[in-house]
Amino acid sequence: MIDTRRLRTLRAVADHGTVTAAAAALHLTPSAVSQQLVALEHEVGHRLFTRDGRGVHLTAVGKIMLGHANEVLAQLERAEAEVAAYTTGEAGEVTVACFATAISAVLSPAITALRATSPGVRVRVLDAEGDHSLAMLLDGEADLAITVEYRGAPDAADRRLARLPLYAEPFDLVLPQEHPLAESATLVSLSDATWIGPYPGNPVHDVITFACRQSGFTPNLAHCSDDFRAVVALVGAGAGVALVPRLALRDMALTGVAVRQTPGPERRVFAAIRRGADAHPLLRPLLSALRAIAGSLGTD
């Protein structure tokens, strides 16, 4: 009989690409992960991975097993959800991995709303960029992720996840107040400008780079910060120009900068849970609150 714990290990190694990274995500030693993989191969009777340098790759049988592992683990999530529902599950903790802007825009208001509607639900928040939160969800470090569409993200057909669209957020141009194009700037007109933005790997970096390339140029990203307050402060100091998600600009002082709407780039924000967990009584009220808050944002 196949041990389901080894199926989780199989998925973690497939997701992370190395035994070492999977071990860190699962809070195990690399030796323990390797032993679980060997035991699983004995249970299945076939090799599941091949090694390539430090990385590992699924064999054809490994890919078959991974598909079944996703189904089995989703069914276990459903079983836990039904048991929790049967025993009411009105009190407990939900861990949410979420990026900073969405913490302010939707998660914090949802937590406030839950105090009135579901006071037994406690929310633990982990600040994580969009490209990290889904990995935390799949590795079991979080019960729910609030993240964005980004290059390389699991798509809507991914059998490991269930997704709830929340909102689409446009980007605004932010320029020094004294910039000669402060009143009329477009992306094309700023092709020769010095740009400020997040580091490569941050999903917003991809959005900005893609939007500029669609306008015919590659931005000269001379200054990098993942903190939008720092980005706006640098713009105010005259260090360059930036594209910033509109909700990130809310409640900022915006001293010394001009903000201009521009057509085109936006980021799509969604909540994700492990497939099968959508009926969990601790997740249902939180998802409902997130949906209601997101619907009232008004990002236009």
Side-chain angles (χ1 to χ4, degrees):
M1 183 177 293
I2 295 173
D3 189 328
T4 56
R5 292 173 299 178
R6 292 168 187 157
L7 294 181
R8 294 187 189 278
T9 302
L10 169 70
R11 185 162 79 178
V13 174
D15 284 344
H16 292 280
T18 69
V19 168
T20 302
L26 296 172
H27 305 289
L28 298 171
T29 65
S31 175
V33 169
S34 295
Q35 289 172 16
Q36 289 197 26
L37 293 179
V38 169
L40 182 59
E41 288 181 326
H42 282 307
E43 290 172 341
V44 175
H46 293 274
R47 291 190 66 184
L48 303 177
F49 291 94
T50 59
R51 294 187 177 274
D52 178 14
R54 294 184 179 180
V56 293
H57 302 280
L58 287 169
T59 64
V61 174
K63 292 176 181 178
I64 292 172
M65 283 302 303
L66 179 61
H68 287 290
N70 288 332
E71 292 299 321
V72 169
L73 295 175
Q75 187 61 41
L76 287 175
E77 293 281 355
R78 282 189 284 271
E80 290 177 8
E82 288 186 21
V83 170
Y86 179 77
T87 57
T88 73
E90 294 177 354
E93 183 177 85
V94 177
T95 299
V96 181
C98 181
F99 61 98
T101 302
I103 290 174
S104 299
V106 291
L107 183 54
S108 294
I111 292 172
T112 300
L114 284 178
R115 290 201 190 99
T117 60
S118 302
V121 179
R122 303 184 308 277
V123 180
R124 175 173 171 254
V125 180
L126 303 176
D127 188 342
E129 290 298 333
D131 54 333
H132 295 151
S133 59
L134 287 179
M136 295 170 71
L137 175 66
L138 290 170
D139 290 337
E141 295 180 56
D143 304 303
L144 185 149
I146 299 176
T147 184
V148 298
E149 300 284 2
Y150 62 92
R151 181 178 54 186
D155 62 27
D158 193 294
R159 294 161 65 186
R160 299 169 298 172
L161 301 170
R163 299 163 36 135
L164 172 70
L166 292 176
Y167 60 90
E169 178 182 13
F171 283 65
D172 289 333
L173 280 169
V174 184
L175 304 92
Q177 204 162 46
E178 303 304 319
H179 194 284
L181 297 176
E183 298 298 324
S184 59
T186 63
L187 275 179
V188 174
S189 68
L190 295 171
S191 60
D192 294 327
T194 298
W195 284 79
I196 307 162
Y199 284 97
N202 185 313
V204 173
H205 176 94
D206 288 346
V207 173
I208 293 171
T209 302
F210 180 76
C212 291
R213 286 176 178 167
Q214 288 289 95
S215 295
F217 68 97
T218 298
N220 172 25
L221 277 165
H223 310 286
C224 291
S225 174
D226 289 333
D227 183 335
F228 290 120
R229 290 186 180 276
V231 169
V232 171
L234 286 169
V235 174
V241 302
L243 269 173
V244 179
R246 186 166 299 170
L247 291 176
L249 294 171
R250 288 189 176 182
D251 303 322
M252 281 196 200
L254 300 178
T255 303
V257 303
V259 178
R260 295 289 171 262
Q261 295 186 11
T262 185
E266 64 178 13
R267 63 176 174 179
R268 298 187 177 276
V269 179
F270 63 93
I273 57 176
R274 291 182 293 275
R275 191 172 295 277
D278 45 318
H280 198 291
L282 292 177
L283 289 172
R284 280 201 310 265
L286 177 55
L287 288 169
S288 178
L290 288 169
R291 185 187 296 112
I293 298 298
S296 66
L297 278 180
T299 56
D300 295 336

